[in-house]
Amino acid sequence: MRTTTRRWRRTSLAAAATLLATLPVLPSATPASAGTALSKASVWLTNPSTKTYLSQQSPVTWKTGPAPAGSSGSTITVDTTRTYQPMTGFGASFTDSSAWLVGTKLNAKQRNALMRDLFSRRDGIGLSALRQPMGATDFTVNGNYSYDDMPAGQADPTLANFSIDHDRSYTIPLLQQARKINPQLTLMATPWSPPGWMKTSGSMVKGQLKPDAYQPYADYFAKFLKAYAAAGAPVRYVTPQNEPLYEPSTYPGMSLPADQAKTFISDYLAPTLRKQDLSTRILGYDHNWDVTSYPESLYTDPAAARNVAGTAWHCYAGDVTAQSVVHNNYPSKPAFQTECSGGTWEGDKRGGFVGAMDNVINGPRNWAQSIIRWNIALDPDGGPRNNGCQGCRPVVTISQNADGTWSYTPTADYWGLAQASKFVQPGAHRVASNTLGKGNVEDVAFTNPDGSTALVTYNSGSTDRTFTVRWGKRHFTYTLAAGAAATFTWTGTQQGSTDPAAIGSVDIPFRNPDGSKALITYDSGLLARQPQVRVGDQWLGYTLPTGASLAPPTGEVALPRDSWQASASASSSDDPPAKAIDGDVSTRWSSGHGMQPGDSFQLDLGSTQTFNQLVLDTSASSGDFARQYEVYTSDDGTTWGKPMATGPGSAVTRILLPTTTARYIRVVNKSDSGSWWSIHDLSVLAPDGKVTSNADVTKGVQRKSAQLPDGTRLSAAYNSGSGTAAFDIRWGGTTYSYRLPAGAAAIFTTRSA
């Protein structure tokens, strides 16, 4: 794609360009309300392979009656009667680098055209969410800055030096213009670092928040919010810290462990915002999918739970289904995706479009209310950078031409966002639909406030795919090229019911004391995200939100290690298997390479022993736990049989087993990770024979049952009370005691082994 100044035409998109090329021209009508006949659905196509970008195609015609023969395995069913989270919007970030390029390099005509392209739903792609850095990031033009910088060794606890003047020259004018073009625009704000004088490092690089800086930092937030509101850029959400589990060594950042975040939010930030009559809401975490315990730990604390409105997520580690896991664990707390950059690591333009569409579709499918990419604009070298990301891809690239003028070009992120942002209005609700999955046609569906429906589809396979869309009594068939995306929009009300088996998931609604709904949605894909134990011919599964506990009916005692011997499929020369069982949590066994399926750790107990729990402690290397495990036992070290337990790992992985007698235990890793697999300490626990008292069911626990189309039976419990609830759960003839924090839910599954 070649791009410069843009001329707007009310015609279909055109990919052709002149020497001073214009952007492919977007139509001026709002697609979801364009007046397509009720018997038809509009179609908007992007196919990078043919240089087709958000091009309106001939509408498809709805048909009634049976679907085409043989289409049962390639049918996407949309059920607009089943609604989920409201959508805040789609967008990116005006980092300092982005705002500087747009605000100072483009002339007024180009800048106005780009802003219209980005934020107008009528004449552009209708972006409606921006995440704004509070100060410097890894994309800053002239180095690090905060809103209250002081000379080395000096502090400003009263914030007498506070000023947002840095942002007034080119950032705030763009935010004002964006809000004028799209009045439904939502602003979020996040600091990469407080002023250096507030930190243990004395710098915006690395360090933690000083204990005496908690209140000044809360005041810093309040001053920022008031100053931005006065400048015409009110902020709806803030997070306390960008990526609190990462301290970059070359650009602004800060470590903010969960316990410190709780203290800062509950005792300082939230009270300060309330005292100053600021309605801005606080989101927690703002980091990757691979650590779900951090955001959940904010919800286990009653004070933090009252003050944290939801979880902010990034996409750089882990899997997007973590959003669904945390949602089901704490179903009244919404999810927001606040940063997900594409980049050169995705390959060519088609690879970039793959990443963008995956984000746009699977983020909302897993409860995200916003999808926010990273930089709005960068130059052709991916800058200006402030010692940060190499190869990050923006939404548009701003380049200098041979004659010294500047122009802009949309990237894969622009077109990926466009497939949703132009058609999904703020306040739209995601609705139920099945997906054909990776390597096939993936999708997500929404109903807009005006009653229209938008279905976003993407063919992530390597060949063309023909599929049927069913909506109530109607259906149509469409063929989508490999790597292409199509958005279908239509109006009207669904006629006829939908077979739940066609969607593949079940909804389990609960009620909060204030009358609001807490909704759990579960499908068979989530089984791998919970621990499961094989008892006889059944797999018994359970979820365990952070703060919850599941205890067997007797106490426990650790088996002595005197005669233990450990071995592994591979080991680092510095970290042999014996260090996992030496009783010293400062030593470890490690695999010596990035985790691979089939990596194993084996324990010889020295003699046949009886046990019912394993504990793998990796907390001293918190990212080095097995992402997915299986546990086997053996009497002779040769015959292992079927796995006894499976599930996701964590920094401390506690694995419940049926009471088992064996000599050998093997733990097998089942997934890939760039991290080494480490175990700092492995304990084997046995029942001590002392019966623990059964729990008295606490008031406020609601229970419901459901069944998946594949026959998996579910039992869900939700604690709508104000304190931790206790109740008994019976599995395979054994009664366990479960403790569930306020606002949390537990799901128990039973399926054939």
Side-chain angles (χ1 to χ4, degrees):
M1 293 175 291
R2 295 177 297 165
T3 312
T4 57
T5 308
R6 182 172 180 181
R7 291 181 297 123
W8 286 94
R9 302 172 184 164
R10 299 190 177 187
T11 62
S12 61
L13 289 170
T18 60
L19 180 61
L20 291 180
T22 60
L23 279 173
V25 181
L26 293 170
S28 61
T30 301
S33 304
T36 301
L38 292 179
S39 62
K40 297 182 181 295
S42 298
V43 186
W44 302 77
L45 179 71
T46 295
N47 185 351
S49 296
T50 60
K51 298 183 179 180
T52 302
Y53 300 104
L54 203 64
S55 173
Q56 187 167 17
Q57 307 295 292
S58 299
V60 292
T61 301
W62 289 106
K63 298 179 180 179
T64 58
S71 65
S72 59
S74 58
T75 296
I76 294 172
T77 299
V78 177
D79 187 352
T80 51
T81 69
R82 291 171 59 177
T83 61
Y84 305 108
Q85 79 274 16
M87 295 303 297
T88 300
F90 300 80
S93 297
F94 270 121
T95 60
D96 183 69
S97 296
S98 296
W100 178 77
L101 285 167
V102 175
T104 70
K105 297 304 178 183
L106 297 179
N107 63 38
K109 183 177 180 180
Q110 292 171 314
R111 184 166 56 252
N112 291 339
L114 173 58
M115 294 296 285
R116 189 169 58 241
D117 289 354
L118 292 171
F119 297 103
S120 172
R121 289 196 66 248
R122 177 181 173 85
D123 299 316
I125 65 172
L127 298 185
S128 54
L130 289 173
R131 175 179 179 244
Q132 288 309 112
M134 294 170 57
T137 71
D138 50 332
F139 286 94
T140 304
V141 177
N142 293 312
N144 298 336
Y145 71 93
S146 75
Y147 300 121
D148 198 340
D149 293 322
M150 298 295 292
Q154 297 185 30
D156 183 22
T158 65
L159 303 181
N161 193 49
F162 181 93
S163 172
I164 63 165
D165 284 350
H166 176 282
D167 295 358
R168 294 187 189 278
S169 57
Y170 45 78
T171 301
I172 289 176
L174 293 175
L175 301 181
Q176 294 169 334
Q177 186 176 5
R179 291 190 70 236
K180 184 176 181 180
I181 295 170
N182 186 351
Q184 293 182 296
L185 183 72
T186 290
L187 295 185
M188 304 177 179
T190 301
W192 267 238
S193 172
W197 55 266
M198 293 187 183
K199 299 169 62 184
T200 56
S201 64
S203 165
M204 291 186 72
V205 179
K206 305 195 75 170
Q208 294 189 349
L209 191 62
K210 292 179 178 178
D212 61 359
Y214 278 57
Q215 187 57 55
Y217 196 31
D219 295 335
Y220 180 88
F221 271 83
K223 280 184 171 289
F224 165 81
L225 293 171
K226 286 188 172 182
Y228 256 57
V235 175
R236 185 174 174 184
Y237 296 101
V238 292
T239 66
Q241 174 61 39
N242 174 69
E243 299 190 346
L245 298 179
Y246 177 52
E247 287 183 81
S249 59
T250 58
Y251 62 86
M254 183 177 74
S255 168
L256 187 68
D259 286 345
Q260 293 181 21
K262 292 178 193 177
T263 299
F264 177 61
I265 293 169
S266 301
D267 297 345
Y268 298 94
L269 181 57
T272 297
L273 298 187
R274 284 194 294 268
K275 184 178 180 180
Q276 301 204 28
D277 296 322
L278 290 164
S279 60
T280 303
R281 306 189 74 187
I282 302 167
L283 303 178
Y285 190 45
D286 218 355
H287 210 164
N288 291 328
W289 295 316
D290 60 338
V291 182
T292 58
S293 58
Y294 189 118
E296 288 189 0
S297 68
L298 302 180
Y299 303 144
T300 66
D301 180 85
R306 287 193 297 270
N307 293 307
V308 176
T311 299
W313 294 101
H314 295 189
C315 71
Y316 306 117
D319 184 85
V320 67
T321 56
Q323 295 176 179
S324 286
V325 170
V326 173
H327 170 86
N328 282 347
N329 286 346
Y330 286 91
S332 293
K333 296 296 186 180
F336 300 80
Q337 275 194 23
T338 52
E339 184 183 318
C340 186
S341 182
T344 54
W345 54 87
E346 295 173 318
D348 59 12
K349 291 180 180 179
R350 177 173 175 177
F353 192 60
V354 171
M357 290 308 303
D358 180 71
N359 191 209
V360 162
I361 288 175
N362 291 303
R365 285 195 71 87
N366 287 276
W367 292 96
Q369 296 191 14
S370 66
I371 297 297
I372 298 179
R373 304 294 279 176
W374 187 201
N375 291 274
I376 285 274
L378 293 175
D379 64 27
D381 295 324
R385 288 188 300 273
N386 183 26
N387 300 313
C389 173
Q390 297 280 342
C392 276
R393 185 179 61 249
V395 175
V396 298
T397 299
I398 294 183
S399 309
Q400 189 171 24
N401 303 313
D403 62 359
T405 62
W406 293 72
S407 58
Y408 63 96
T409 307
T411 71
D413 291 60
Y414 180 95
W415 299 115
L417 287 168
Q419 289 293 144
S421 61
K422 188 170 179 68
F423 310 100
V424 181
Q425 305 163 15
H429 282 78
R430 178 174 65 91
V431 296
S433 68
N434 67 305
T435 180
L436 304 182
K438 297 294 182 183
N440 206 320
V441 179
E442 303 178 62
D443 72 275
V444 64
F446 307 89
T447 56
N448 284 305
D450 65 7
S452 62
T453 299
L455 173 67
V456 184
T457 65
Y458 174 68
N459 181 1
S460 60
S462 57
T463 61
D464 294 359
R465 299 283 182 173
T466 298
F467 60 99
T468 297
V469 174
R470 176 166 286 283
W471 178 53
K473 295 180 179 179
R474 300 178 177 182
H475 67 271
F476 63 77
T477 298
Y478 196 81
T479 298
L480 191 58
T487 300
F488 304 91
T489 64
W490 64 86
T491 58
T493 301
Q494 179 175 320
Q495 302 296 316
S497 59
T498 300
D499 181 358
I503 302 296
S505 62
V506 294
D507 298 339
I508 307 175
F510 295 101
R511 284 289 174 185
N512 291 310
D514 63 3
S516 61
K517 184 169 64 173
L519 180 64
I520 291 172
T521 296
Y522 197 92
D523 62 46
S524 58
L526 291 172
L527 286 167
R529 297 302 304 261
Q530 67 182 52
Q532 297 180 73
V533 181
R534 186 168 55 82
V535 179
D537 61 354
Q538 291 185 322
W539 280 107
L540 306 176
Y542 59 95
T543 60
L544 199 65
T546 302
S549 64
L550 181 64
T554 64
E556 59 194 37
V557 60
L559 294 182
R561 309 180 183 204
D562 301 345
S563 57
W564 289 9
Q565 293 186 354
S567 59
S569 57
S571 301
S572 163
S573 59
D574 296 327
D575 306 315
K579 289 189 176 182
I581 58 174
D582 62 4
D584 183 354
V585 295
S586 67
T587 66
R588 66 174 183 171
W589 161 77
S590 63
S591 60
H593 59 247
M595 279 177 260
Q596 300 171 1
D599 290 340
S600 64
F601 185 91
Q602 186 169 312
L603 183 63
D604 177 358
L605 299 174
S607 62
T608 300
Q609 301 284 329
T610 299
F611 50 90
N612 65 353
Q613 292 185 67
L614 303 180
V615 182
L616 281 61
D617 188 342
T618 313
S619 52
S621 302
S622 59
D624 289 0
F625 56 86
R627 299 304 191 261
Q628 189 77 23
Y629 64 80
E630 285 184 344
V631 176
Y632 297 79
T633 62
S634 173
D635 293 328
D636 57 11
T638 301
T639 303
W640 294 93
K642 298 178 180 179
M644 299 190 63
T646 184
S650 61
V652 179
T653 304
R654 180 177 291 267
I655 303 171
L656 292 181
L657 301 169
T659 300
T660 301
T661 300
R663 175 171 174 171
Y664 298 90
I665 302 170
R666 179 181 288 173
V667 183
V668 180
N669 173 59
K670 299 298 292 182
S671 63
D672 292 295
S673 173
S675 298
W676 291 9
W677 181 15
S678 300
I679 301 175
H680 281 260
D681 186 71
L682 189 154
S683 299
V684 182
L685 307 180
D688 65 4
K690 299 176 182 178
V691 178
T692 58
S693 58
N694 291 339
D696 293 326
V697 176
T698 307
K699 290 183 179 180
V701 176
Q702 304 173 40
R703 296 198 191 197
K704 292 188 177 181
S705 299
Q707 184 167 311
L708 293 177
D710 66 3
T712 300
R713 298 189 300 278
L714 285 74
S715 174
Y718 176 60
N719 180 7
S720 60
S722 58
T724 299
F727 56 90
D728 290 338
I729 184 74
R730 189 167 179 81
W731 279 346
T734 303
T735 300
Y736 291 76
S737 297
Y738 200 105
R739 294 181 63 82
L740 188 63
I747 301 172
F748 306 93
T749 61
T750 305
R751 64 187 179 94
S752 297

